[in-house]
Amino acid sequence: QSTWGDYSRIIPSMDSARKALSRVSGKEEKDQSLWNDMQDSVCPSLTKKQRIYGFVICFVVGIAISIVGYITLLTGNLVSFAVLYTFGNLTSLFSSAFLVGPFKQVKNMCHEKRRIATAVYFIAIILTLVVAFATKKPGLCIFMIIIQWFALAWYILSYIPYGRRMVTNCCKSTLGV
């Protein structure tokens, strides 16, 4: 959406002025096509309130699915646990696509600060499923879940200013390093 707001639709001369300023400042005018709108959000017609509801509902559903996965682990069904836990985590993770849009979500995940944490997280997810289906070793599967937790925590800390640095310094002082 334009930084000039919706006034350009109401006042045609404002649109001309905005285009002229864009050319003078060297900034290219963004194409306001439906495709760009779809790139910016899951459903371009959703209001801010609806996006927040979508985020919360998707996040809570993801957590609920993960909890059901934990319950299946207690019953000894490792494959169901791995599938449900993974699907729940991915649902919760991608719930933020309601807020920022799916393309921006992926772009944020691939940002230089988050690239390694994202890669470790997805590799751990894949290995969790491989371990559950191929080896059926609960200890190794739980180890992969722990790696997922750490990778996800490191990913989340990248959004908090100085978050990673604070946690690193806290761990260093705790371990006496």
Side-chain angles (χ1 to χ4, degrees), residues 113-129:
K113 287 196 286 187
R114 298 177 192 97
R115 197 173 294 149
I116 293 173
T118 300
V120 170
Y121 181 70
F122 283 113
I123 289 169
I125 283 176
I126 292 166
L127 289 176
T128 300
L129 293 171

Side-chain angles (χ1 to χ4, degrees), residues 36-94:
N36 283 340
D37 288 342
M38 287 183 354
Q39 286 181 333
D40 291 339
S41 66
V42 175
C43 297
S45 63
L46 293 179
T47 66
K48 186 175 182 179
K49 187 176 183 179
Q50 290 170 330
R51 291 179 196 288
I52 291 171
Y53 283 148
F55 164 75
V56 170
I57 290 168
C58 199
F59 187 79
V60 170
V61 166
I63 289 174
I65 293 170
S66 294
I67 290 171
V68 171
Y70 281 121
I71 293 169
T72 62
L73 180 63
L74 296 175
T75 64
N77 192 340
L78 187 64
V79 173
S80 292
F81 161 70
V83 170
L84 289 170
Y85 183 80
T86 298
F87 185 68
N89 270 354
L90 292 175
T91 303
S92 293
L93 179 67
F94 287 111

